[in-house]
Amino acid sequence: MEFVPWVTERQHKMLKNSIYHTFRYEILPNIPVHFFSKHFSSDTGRPTKDLQSIIGLFILQAHRDMTDLEAVEAYCFNDAFRYALDTTRSEYLSERAYYYYRAKIMGEGNAIFNKIVDSISKRLRLDAALQRTDSTMVQTNLARMSRLELFSTTITKFLGELRKAHSITYGRLDQALRDRYMADKENTWFANNKPSQYKELLLAAAKDVLTLVEIFKSHASASKLPSFALLERLVREQISVKDEEITVQPNPETTGTAMTNPHDPDAHFNGHYEKVGYKANLTETCGKDKDTPDPKIITHVSVHPANTSDKTLVTEVIDDLGNKGLEPKAMLLDNGYDSDENQQTCRERGIDFICPPSGDLPDGLGIMDFVRTEDNKITFCPMGQRCLENIVHEKRKRTVSYFDPSLCRECPHSHDCPIKITKRKARLDWDWKKPRIEARRRMFAEDKETKALYRQRAGGESVFSVMKRKLGLTRLRRRGREKATLSIFLAATAMNVLRMHNWMAWCLFSMLFSMIDGLRRTFRGRKPSIQRQQLAPSRFWASPCWDGL
């Protein structure tokens, strides 16, 4: 390893055993920079900073949960960062340059993450046969606003942009309107009113929103301001006008997607967590039981609106993993992802969809106990009674089966049978997917091997705990979906770097421990009691990741 001239020999040894050494030799050379090519010229202009070191700084910033100023100072003054990023003490980075490069990689977080995952999977010869998927709510650092605060803040935001872009047009607005929203904080119209006047003030704010939209909707320039789009969004989502009567109430069609704060209009409210932010969906590798070692590398990350259902994410996860060459043989998920469509999609691709089905087993007989044909018809009931007629509804994917009501009344299982018996008929209306769901429920209730394997899904919560407690995802410092998405991808990349470092250190320790134990027992004339396979998987002993260690 190259000796760093500005550190002592002891410090050099500490760096060699730290995550900064792993980052310098395993991660930094594999950081992609191709997307920067569209922003720079190959033959003119000033030389750029080392682009790999700049992106590496963003990853280390996420790893250490640093503010932007702390990251800039670490780049300039921290010897550990210099070593990890392979820079010299003469390198300098200004705040302006930091934000310039950060803006250039906006939207490229997925490309950075995928490239690092690809290099880690090849280096560790990652076993992706078993993976687990889960999602969490990433809260943004925003105040929760009342509807009155939402209206007044949005109006203030628009008036501020209008004054800056079109000062003359702003000066022609009604003076009373400007004084209500652009006055000093101590003299605002809202601060000088009583809580009992809330409804009156809210209605007045709604009228102001409608007035501003009406005035500027035909203005060529003001109508294109980002804050004007927020005013129009408020009208669509919160205000209804009927017979010249103005009512402030949420539009039922926009429930769950309505704007909660104009400073981050893309952040939605999640009713389950009761927070405002974004949903992060993560997939990671895992062992088949707690005694099987695994590096737990995150293989997939995606960011969605907070109100997105987990059921809609499974196909995206499988497609992404397939494109990376990391498609699993089995996936562990909680029942928020459960749906028959997802089950069938995984079955078609040869993936075991291990997810507890929602609902309980039937108290008595179920649809799966009836004798059915491949064309979704019932021939006999569990007690051997022949079905009289089947009416198949292809579009609804349902079948209505009829039985002899007199025989059904005499049946000893009529009390726990799904057939509904009336005076004239015995009828069973069933969905085609219900037998499959019942079969999965029974499998989870009776199959001990499936239960034992599914216990490994619970470990997927640990990655969220670490990313929130140590990597700064408890409350995001960034506002806007693009910035939030980049922060989450960088945090997931930093998590993979940390786990790769810990895994390689653990494997090295296991190898040394196994060798020492083998020598000790050989000298005593006994066979080694610890097998390599018990400490680290056999694929690592021949891995090139040990070169130079």
Side-chain angles (χ1 to χ4, degrees):
M1 183 186 72
E2 180 185 353
F3 186 77
V4 182
W6 60 77
V7 298
T8 64
E9 185 176 350
R10 287 188 176 182
Q11 289 174 328
H12 192 265
K13 288 181 179 179
M14 289 183 66
L15 282 174
K16 183 178 178 180
N17 295 326
S18 69
I19 192 174
Y20 301 108
H21 177 79
T22 304
F23 190 91
R24 175 171 177 160
Y25 289 96
E26 306 293 343
I27 304 301
L28 189 65
N30 296 307
I31 292 177
V33 293
H34 61 276
F35 43 78
F36 277 112
S37 60
K38 59 186 176 184
H39 302 294
F40 302 104
S41 172
S42 58
D43 52 7
T44 60
R46 294 177 58 190
T48 67
K49 297 287 185 183
D50 181 69
L51 299 179
Q52 286 186 322
S53 68
I54 294 295
I55 299 177
L57 173 65
F58 297 145
I59 298 173
L60 289 177
Q61 178 188 5
H63 168 64
R64 296 291 297 274
D65 187 21
M66 289 178 165
T67 63
D68 295 341
L69 181 59
E70 289 172 343
V72 171
E73 291 178 350
Y75 186 89
C76 297
F77 306 116
N78 191 313
D79 283 340
F81 272 53
R82 290 194 186 105
Y83 177 79
L85 301 175
D86 195 15
T87 59
T88 64
R89 282 190 164 185
S90 61
E91 292 289 337
Y92 170 77
L93 181 70
S94 66
E95 283 189 66
R96 179 180 178 182
Y98 171 89
Y99 288 115
Y100 174 81
Y101 286 109
R102 183 118 189 167
K104 294 302 180 187
I105 68 168
M106 204 66 64
E108 303 293 346
N110 192 29
I112 297 171
F113 172 80
N114 289 341
K115 179 63 177 178
I116 299 300
V117 167
D118 181 61
S119 64
I120 291 176
S121 63
K122 290 177 180 177
R123 188 65 164 163
L124 302 184
R125 299 184 182 180
L126 189 65
D127 183 5
L130 180 63
Q131 301 186 46
R132 55 193 176 199
T133 299
D134 206 350
S135 63
T136 189
M137 176 75 182
V138 180
Q139 188 177 2
T140 50
N141 195 17
L142 295 170
R144 293 188 64 176
M145 292 184 171
S146 65
R147 191 168 285 122
L148 178 58
E149 290 175 317
L150 174 63
F151 276 58
S152 62
T153 305
T154 307
I155 294 173
T156 302
K157 189 176 179 69
F158 171 71
L159 293 178
E161 288 187 7
L162 182 67
R163 182 171 60 182
K164 186 176 180 179
H166 306 281
S167 56
I168 297 177
T169 305
Y170 171 79
R172 293 172 181 169
L173 286 175
D174 182 50
Q175 183 65 40
L177 176 66
R178 288 182 288 159
D179 290 343
R180 279 200 292 272
Y181 299 98
M182 302 300 288
D184 297 335
K185 290 185 178 180
E186 297 179 357
N187 299 317
T188 59
W189 179 52
F190 298 98
N192 294 327
N193 290 279
K194 301 176 182 179
S196 58
Q197 297 175 301
Y198 178 85
K199 291 184 178 180
E200 179 183 343
L201 296 175
L202 180 60
L203 184 60
K207 291 179 179 178
D208 290 337
V209 170
L210 292 171
T211 300
L212 290 172
V213 170
E214 185 65 28
I215 293 173
F216 292 102
K217 67 181 180 181
S218 57
H219 193 284
S221 181
S223 61
K224 296 180 181 179
L225 293 174
S227 54
F228 184 77
L230 299 181
L231 288 178
E232 292 181 313
R233 183 174 172 182
L234 275 182
V235 174
R236 291 194 306 271
E237 297 177 346
Q238 307 277 358
I239 303 174
S240 62
V241 181
K242 187 176 182 180
D243 298 331
E244 297 185 357
E245 182 180 352
I246 300 173
T247 306
V248 181
Q249 60 181 8
N251 185 344
E253 296 179 359
T254 61
T255 301
T257 60
M259 182 170 61
T260 58
N261 193 310
H263 299 303
D264 190 353
D266 296 326
H268 292 162
F269 179 77
N270 185 292
H272 177 69
Y273 294 96
E274 296 187 351
K275 295 178 182 178
V276 176
Y278 300 90
K279 175 174 283 190
N281 192 60
L282 271 67
T283 302
E284 65 176 5
T285 61
C286 62
K288 62 180 180 180
D289 53 52
K290 64 179 182 179
D291 297 322
T292 302
D294 191 271
K296 299 179 178 63
I297 298 299
I298 301 172
T299 55
H300 168 81
V301 180
S302 57
V303 182
H304 307 272
N307 60 332
T308 304
S309 173
D310 288 343
K311 296 179 181 180
T312 62
L313 306 179
V314 174
T315 303
E316 176 189 344
V317 173
I318 296 172
D319 290 340
D320 184 55
L321 293 176
N323 293 335
K324 296 174 184 175
L326 296 173
E327 188 169 275
K329 294 180 181 178
M331 289 186 68
L332 307 177
L333 311 97
D334 62 31
N335 62 0
Y337 294 86
D338 175 51
S339 74
D340 187 65
E341 291 76 12
N342 290 336
Q343 176 75 22
Q344 297 307 308
T345 300
C346 289
R347 181 177 295 178
E348 291 171 1
R349 302 192 184 190
I351 300 173
D352 290 337
F353 186 79
I354 304 175
C355 172
S358 54
D360 300 320
L361 281 168
D363 294 334
L365 300 173
I367 304 298
M368 65 172 295
D369 296 314
F370 287 72
V371 180
R372 306 179 310 279
T373 61
E374 293 182 359
D375 54 352
N376 299 298
K377 295 180 180 180
I378 290 179
T379 55
F380 293 94
C381 79
M383 303 308 295
Q385 183 189 163
R386 181 178 292 277
C387 179
L388 301 179
E389 183 184 8
N390 285 286
I391 301 177
V392 179
H393 300 275
E394 293 287 346
K395 291 185 178 179
R396 295 170 54 202
K397 295 185 178 181
R398 300 182 70 90
T399 300
V400 180
S401 304
Y402 292 93
F403 296 84
D404 188 335
S406 59
L407 294 177
C408 286
R409 291 191 193 96
E410 297 173 357
C411 178
H413 291 279
S414 60
H415 64 285
D416 59 2
C417 181
I419 298 175
K420 293 183 178 181
I421 307 172
T422 60
K423 274 187 178 183
R424 298 182 180 179
K425 56 187 175 182
R427 180 174 178 268
L428 177 61
D429 188 350
W430 55 284
D431 195 297
W432 294 354
K433 64 184 179 183
K434 196 165 185 179
R436 296 192 294 267
I437 295 174
E438 290 179 352
R440 282 173 29 229
R441 286 174 183 161
R442 187 165 297 179
M443 177 191 69
F444 262 87
E446 300 174 356
D447 192 336
K448 294 183 179 180
E449 290 185 5
T450 301
K451 279 187 174 181
L453 183 60
Y454 185 71
R455 290 192 188 101
Q456 297 306 302
R457 191 214 64 82
E461 302 289 346
S462 64
V463 65
F464 299 134
S465 176
V466 175
M467 292 177 71
K468 288 184 177 181
R469 288 186 297 107
K470 296 186 177 182
L471 304 186
L473 291 190
T474 301
R475 291 176 75 91
L476 283 177
R477 299 188 186 99
R478 316 285 175 178
R479 293 179 178 177
R481 181 168 181 177
E482 272 194 345
K483 295 179 180 179
T485 300
L486 179 61
S487 296
I488 294 171
F489 272 109
L490 290 175
T493 304
M495 189 71 185
N496 276 346
V497 175
L498 176 62
R499 286 183 165 180
M500 177 189 185
H501 170 73
N502 292 340
W503 177 249
M504 293 179 69
W506 179 84
C507 289
L508 180 60
F509 170 79
S510 301
M511 180 176 66
L512 295 176
F513 185 85
S514 178
M515 291 171 61
I516 293 170
D517 181 74
L519 290 173
R520 181 174 62 85
R521 291 180 176 272
T522 299
F523 285 125
R524 290 185 180 182
R526 297 161 60 184
K527 292 182 179 180
S529 61
I530 301 179
Q531 300 295 327
R532 286 180 172 182
Q533 288 80 3
Q534 294 176 340
L535 292 169
S538 58
R539 63 182 181 277
F540 288 97
W541 300 105
S543 173
C545 68
W546 307 117
D547 296 346
L549 295 180

